[in-house]
Amino acid sequence: MNLRTKVSVVILVSATAAGSAFPALSGASPVDDKRRQAAQLQSQIESNEERTEAVAEKLKGARIRMTIAEEGINEAQRRTDAAEAEHRRIRSILSRRAAQIYRGAGSSSPLQQMDVKSLGELTTRSKYAAAAADRDDVLIAQLQKSKEALAVRKSELEVQRAAANAEADTATSARSELDKANRESRALLSQVNGEIADIIRQQVAQREAELAAAARRQAASPTRPSGGGGRTPIPPNFPNVPAPNAGAQAAVDFAKAQVGKAWRFATSGPNTFDCSGLTGAAWKQGGVSLTYYSGAQYQQTTRIGAGDLQPGDLIFYGPGGSNHVEIYIGNGAVVSASSLATGVKLSSVRYGSAIGYGRVHG
């Protein structure tokens, strides 16, 4: 497969933050398929960009070789022109000398024509004239050889220039093909991202509707617990474990202070909370802004192991952390806004069902 064919089939693109900021709310789903497609597109476009860079370097090399050949051709032409000028000058001298000799041959007195005062001077002049003629003949021969060598060199440089020019044309064409493929890929990327965003919005809206309906049903149930906020407060029994930094300590202290308050869907205080509303409000006290959605908070934190948990870390449940989030306060305990029945409570980490653990970076 040639370069043009290889480039023409590359139309895949990368996933962007809009497509990966929120995980799917269920296991296998249309958004997962789209993300797999986006991952394939990312791999292809990165490979394409590497080839584009390589082709650009080849183009630069070809242009440099063209410039060198052009300079060599220009220099050869300059030297050829100089040799031609010198050749004409010597020919002109010889022509004038021949004319003087021709005119002197018709004179009644060659000595008078040559304007010599003695036979000895005439003999000397004749020797110098013969030596000059020999020298001119040698110079003309050398000039002729130089012209021939310059012609050969110029011809070689023209071949080199033509080869470099052809290489540059090939590289330019390949780069154009790659640029076109990348433009098409990015257009497809925009389409895929739009589809991912639509699916995510639909799933979030569905999830919110389900939670709201569940809250309404529980609120209308005659068997719901009584007391402030529709539940019985749970006496706190907090572990005394220092947080690793001031931000985490502020988040933990805030979360502890909310135990006993009511759960309410899509609230983040001051009197009621849902799970992500609690963790988001807690870390706001620690100087970090987190999206009030557990799936988003999963993406906004760094994955750690269960054995690495420190006060202030977040614990997630459900695919991509989309079902629930709690804040860890040490010694295997969390503060959690789990449901209308229990409100904001102190409980233990459910290691067996947690999907992941995240560290917030302030």
Side-chain angles (χ1 to χ4, degrees), residues 214-233 262-263 339-343:
R216 287 194 298 270
R217 287 194 299 271
Q218 194 157 5
S221 173
T223 60
R224 72 181 186 276
S226 60
R231 61 170 193 87
T232 301
W263 178 95
S339 69
L340 183 66
T342 59

Side-chain angles (χ1 to χ4, degrees), residues 48-77:
N48 226 25
E49 289 171 348
E50 289 177 1
R51 286 198 291 271
T52 299
E53 183 179 3
V55 167
E57 289 301 306
K58 290 182 183 297
L59 178 59
K60 287 194 292 185
R63 286 176 173 170
I64 290 172
R65 287 188 288 276
M66 275 197 300
T67 299
I68 293 173
E70 288 283 358
E71 291 173 350
I73 290 169
N74 292 337
E75 175 62 16
Q77 186 61 54

Side-chain angles (χ1 to χ4, degrees), residues 137-208:
D137 288 341
V138 170
L139 185 55
I140 289 174
Q142 291 175 342
L143 287 171
Q144 184 61 34
K145 288 182 179 180
S146 177
K147 285 166 56 180
E148 292 171 356
L150 287 169
V152 171
R153 177 58 178 160
K154 185 178 178 183
S155 177
E156 292 173 347
L157 289 169
E158 286 172 347
V159 170
Q160 293 176 16
R161 178 178 62 181
N165 187 61
E167 184 180 355
D169 288 344
T170 299
T172 299
S173 177
R175 189 173 69 169
S176 177
E177 290 286 346
L178 287 165
D179 288 344
K180 179 182 177 183
N182 281 341
R183 287 194 300 270
E184 293 172 352
S185 297
R186 292 188 181 98
L188 182 58
L189 168 66
S190 178
Q191 177 183 337
V192 171
N193 284 339
E195 293 170 355
I196 290 175
D198 288 342
I199 294 171
I200 291 294
R201 281 193 293 269
Q202 292 168 10
Q203 290 183 332
V204 170
Q206 179 182 355
R207 178 64 173 167
E208 289 176 345

